[in-house]
Amino acid sequence: MTNTLLDDLNPQQRQICMDEGNILLTACPGSGKTRTLTYKLAYIVEKNNNSRKLNIAITYTNRAADEIRERLEKMNVEQDKVWVGTIHQFCLKFIIRPYTMYHNRLKQGYHIIDEYVTEMYTKEIAQQLNIEVGYKDPLSFIEIRTRYKKRLLTEREIDFDSILEISYELVGKNRFISENIAGIIRSILVDEYQDTNNLQYKILSNIVKLNKNIQVIFVGDTDQAIYGNLGGIAKSCYELQEEFDLVFTERRLDGCYRTTQRLIDFYSNFQLKTMPIYSVSNIKDESGSLYYNNFINNVDLYKEIANIITKELSQGVAENEICIVAPRWHLLYDLLNEIQVLLPNVNFDAPDVTPIKYDSMNVFCLITKLLFTESGKDIALRKKIANEILTILIEDYKIYLSDEIDHFRVLQYINSLTIADNDGVKYLRRAIEHFFVLIGVDVNSDKYLYKSYNDFFCKINYRIKEYSLSTDVEYFKRCFRENEGIAINTFYGIKGEEYNTVIAFGLLKGYIPHWDIVYNKSVYYVENETKKLLYVVCSRAKKNIYLFSEQGRVTQSGKSLTPTNELLSIDYSYDKLN
């Protein structure tokens, strides 16, 4: 299989798959990074087909993990030899859940909270202290943070930061835990490594140092390192060698299979490292559309975007091959409301403007996904979700379940539910409550399970009110149908995606990057962060890109926002709109 499999790859990709050493791989946009990662995993599994050791792929998003997993399934790779997920999911699966008894905070059970609950707690604590949220006084911040952490302990809750902190404590203070995990792993591949923070590096290095036979591959693009404000660090080859006590070889993927050469020449202006990128796509010589407008007023912007969409659709571009992006969600909320009126027959896919924001670590969200997706499709995925529901209830919440409740019974119960209610919130409440009755659990009787249940619906009601969303049950179900319609997302959310046509607006100082960075960082830092954001956005387009630095936006104090210098300074010929 291996030789035939690798024949599908180019020489660079093939070499990476066959290399048995540790690799720091720099991959330009559209170079087949995900393809190479997938084939690398398949190659290792096939080459070591008599071994039961795991090959780990750590991705930055659930969506990236799903894509790799789906590709592996199509290649018939043995799933029990590969694990794919985010760093937080890795920590839960291999560190926290198996070794709960070795951490005092976890022994009595716990549950994971999301950013909504974190924000709610922060606001409540700030109100108690009579402090305005966002106030920059360091002492006030420390006091809020201290009380927040105490509340998590009281409520037996852990947030995303806690997952990493607890995992590091477990592997750092208990050598045998690192040894046990290291003993079952053959390789670790880290995607988007430039967004990895110090704690994540240290968790992995604690494991790898106890088994130098683990092959480690870091993959990414330092020009797309847009999460520096969240602690993301693109470590150099030397720094990785120091951290992991291993020798790393630097490799590159530099041919772009996605984009026209014209667009590459344009977004190369935003590279921080002047490494040449060349197109090897079948559209490389096409001109496409490259348009920049810094004179339109924000009042007329949405109508102009609607005209562009109409033109693109009339030329045969599919809805799911068009994306509209902006630096911040509040700009996109306004756009979505206007654009749906202007284009009533066009579908839009806005993943963050939905009643339910998917969370793979929330048991009620997992139940909802099974409820609102077709029972006859993606059977393997549905089994995986059902097993995860049981794991969370039993291992995290410490809920007792009868031995007869397995993933088959979970799916049987969920598939059998028939709820007659057109209101999505009421439908969901009745369905979830009925499901728990079927598995023999009273949600109201367990303090912590009930609180999570209540938080889940508080968040849904908040999002419905905040974004003026429909409560129709069919609208709820559409939350779990991906890639249907024109995508609407932020500069950060679009990372890793690709579209035929990208329409970006809000390209203004203070939006890219955020005001906090503009005011608190050096001019050099601000310029670099701006370039990286523009590089990410523009490199998502295959053929057409439309950019807007609209006039009429103002700060809270009434000062007009101006176009970003990095776009104005480019000496480039732009197209005109017909």
Side-chain angles (χ1 to χ4, degrees), residues 492-507:
Y492 294 92
I494 197 179
K495 195 160 179 260
E497 303 293 317
E498 60 178 51
Y499 301 90
N500 184 85
T501 301
V502 172
I503 305 167
F505 68 99
L507 304 174

Side-chain angles (χ1 to χ4, degrees), residues 192-244:
E192 304 289 0
Y193 89 97
Q194 72 276 359
D195 299 324
T196 304
N197 67 35
N198 253 327
L199 202 53
Q200 294 166 4
Y201 282 117
K202 290 184 180 301
I203 290 167
L204 296 177
S205 67
N206 264 274
I207 295 168
V208 171
K209 284 177 180 177
L210 296 180
N211 182 358
K212 297 296 184 65
N213 293 320
I214 295 175
Q215 185 182 15
V216 183
I217 301 101
F218 285 98
V219 185
D221 180 359
T222 55
D223 284 331
Q224 297 186 59
I226 60 175
Y227 288 98
N229 60 319
L230 297 179
I233 303 171
K235 292 201 172 187
S236 67
C237 195
Y238 172 78
E239 289 170 325
L240 289 175
Q241 290 177 162
E242 289 288 300
E243 179 71 57
F244 286 82

Side-chain angles (χ1 to χ4, degrees), residues 291-293 296-298 301-302 304-305 308 323-336 339 487-491 502-508 511-512 534 537 545-551 553 564 567:
Y291 176 77
Y292 177 53
N293 184 325
I296 192 169
N297 192 281
N298 66 307
L301 176 66
Y302 304 141
E304 186 80 329
I305 290 176
I308 292 170
C323 181
I324 308 173
V325 289
R328 302 167 73 175
W329 270 112
H330 82 84
L331 298 174
L332 293 166
Y333 301 150
D334 294 340
L335 169 126
L336 187 59
I339 207 80
I488 295 180
N489 217 325
T490 65
F491 287 8
V502 172
I503 305 167
F505 68 99
L507 304 174
L508 303 163
Y511 285 171
I512 54 166
L534 290 172
V537 170
I545 189 158
Y546 302 86
L547 308 173
F548 294 92
S549 297
E550 65 273 19
Q551 297 186 18
R553 305 278 187 198
T564 175
L567 274 170

Side-chain angles (χ1 to χ4, degrees), residues 47 144 196 203 273 279 282 331 338 345 416 432 435-436 449 464 489 537 569:
K47 188 175 181 181
I144 290 174
T196 304
I203 290 167
K273 292 188 175 180
S279 178
N282 56 9
L331 298 174
E338 295 287 338
N345 298 318
S416 68
I432 290 176
F435 167 74
F436 273 98
L449 186 64
I464 289 170
N489 217 325
V537 170
S569 62

